[in-house]
Amino acid sequence: DAKTTQPTSMDCAEGRAANLPCNHSTISGNEYVYWYRQIHSQGPQYIIHGLKNNETNEMASLIITEDRKSSTLILPHATLRDTAVYYCIVIHNNAGNMLTFGGGTRLMVKP
Amino acid sequence: DGGITQSPKYLFRKEGQNVTLSCEQNLNHDAMYWYRQDPGQGLRLIYYSQIVNDFQKGDIAEGYSVSREKKESFPLTVTSAQKNPTAFYLCASSPGGANTEAFFGQGTRLTVV
């Protein structure tokens, strides 16, 4: 599976959009981009995923560049409860994939 | 309710003892995973299983063992061979395939004294 690179930490003001970048320059055509988040001392929570097209759900939007080498997770109106570690991972399109997590980005939403 | 359950939430053991962490899911998922997380660090894969009676080592399998006798259950044994067993352990399951999300349990915090 392709490796990902994320900033170690980011701050965001409450109510503003949080834009979390992820670099996956070695991604292959069959690999999906997934985002999870982990609030302190809890299990990670799925946010969103995509292959080529941009995706949006009730939690966030995922913007994938045309060359698929990077993506951005957007939380449109960050709240204090969005403070968490956000993980970007890529998963190959075959059954029983290993889910391999990197260090993630620690997002701090401030009042 | 459907979900993935880890028990217990907190576990204390004496050094040199084996300990088994429970992970059960009623989501009918084929794939299950075990991760270890140390303070301030990301998740590291210990073992994963794609299907009943089959499992593969992850990045840090030494000192751990698993079994997958039933689809619903994927217990992890932390053996005395694991040099630094104190950690937060997370179990996950997924239907399998890249276009499916994984669901995580709430974790077991193991402390070895």
Side-chain angles (χ1 to χ4, degrees):
Chain A
D1 291 340
K3 300 292 185 187
T4 62
T5 304
Q6 299 176 254
T8 305
S9 64
M10 291 181 63
D11 291 343
C12 177
E14 188 179 18
R16 298 285 191 147
N19 298 294
L20 291 86
C22 180
N23 185 295
H24 31 80
S25 58
T26 60
I27 194 170
S28 67
N30 290 331
E31 289 183 318
Y32 285 77
V33 179
Y34 273 75
W35 284 84
Y36 288 82
R37 74 178 182 185
Q38 185 179 26
I39 296 171
H40 183 62
S41 295
Q42 296 183 20
Q45 174 191 25
Y46 165 82
I47 301 173
I48 199 167
H49 75 282
L51 183 62
K52 296 180 183 177
N53 299 322
N54 298 337
E55 302 288 345
T56 295
N57 63 20
E58 65 278 5
M59 289 182 69
S61 295
L62 174 61
I63 307 298
I64 303 174
T65 58
E66 193 169 342
D67 63 7
R68 303 206 327 119
K69 293 185 177 182
S70 65
S71 61
T72 301
L73 178 75
I74 301 172
L75 307 178
H77 305 287
T79 70
L80 299 179
R81 287 181 295 180
D82 292 322
T83 292
V85 178
Y86 288 78
Y87 296 99
C88 167
I89 63 176
V90 292
I91 301 176
H92 195 274
N93 186 23
N94 60 13
N97 307 285
M98 286 200 302
L99 299 179
T100 305
F101 288 74
T105 296
R106 188 172 300 273
L107 175 69
M108 179 74 72
V109 180
K110 298 184 174 181
Chain B
D1 287 350
I4 181 165
T5 303
Q6 290 186 243
S7 61
K9 191 171 176 67
Y10 299 95
L11 191 55
F12 295 87
R13 278 294 182 270
K14 290 185 178 180
E15 193 174 346
Q17 291 181 335
N18 291 354
V19 59
T20 297
L21 281 60
S22 169
C23 179
E24 304 279 333
Q25 53 98 0
N26 59 5
L27 301 167
N28 200 34
H29 286 171
D30 284 320
M32 296 187 75
Y33 310 82
W34 273 107
Y35 294 88
R36 170 186 172 131
Q37 188 172 36
D38 293 290
Q41 305 296 312
L43 284 70
R44 291 188 291 168
L45 183 65
I46 305 173
Y47 269 98
Y48 68 107
S49 168
Q50 301 179 21
I51 199 166
V52 175
N53 293 321
D54 183 57
F55 48 83
Q56 288 79 39
K57 293 181 179 180
D59 299 322
I60 55 165
E62 185 175 350
Y64 299 97
S65 66
V66 293
S67 63
R68 187 83 188 278
E69 297 176 0
K70 297 186 299 182
K71 191 174 188 178
E72 306 80 35
S73 179
F74 191 40
L76 173 74
T77 297
V78 184
T79 75
S80 56
Q82 168 51 234
K83 291 184 172 54
N84 298 297
T86 294
F88 186 48
Y89 290 88
L90 285 157
C91 179
S93 71
S94 77
N99 195 18
T100 57
E101 66 191 80
F103 292 81
F104 282 81
Q106 288 305 299
T108 292
R109 191 167 297 280
L110 173 65
T111 302
V112 175
V113 296

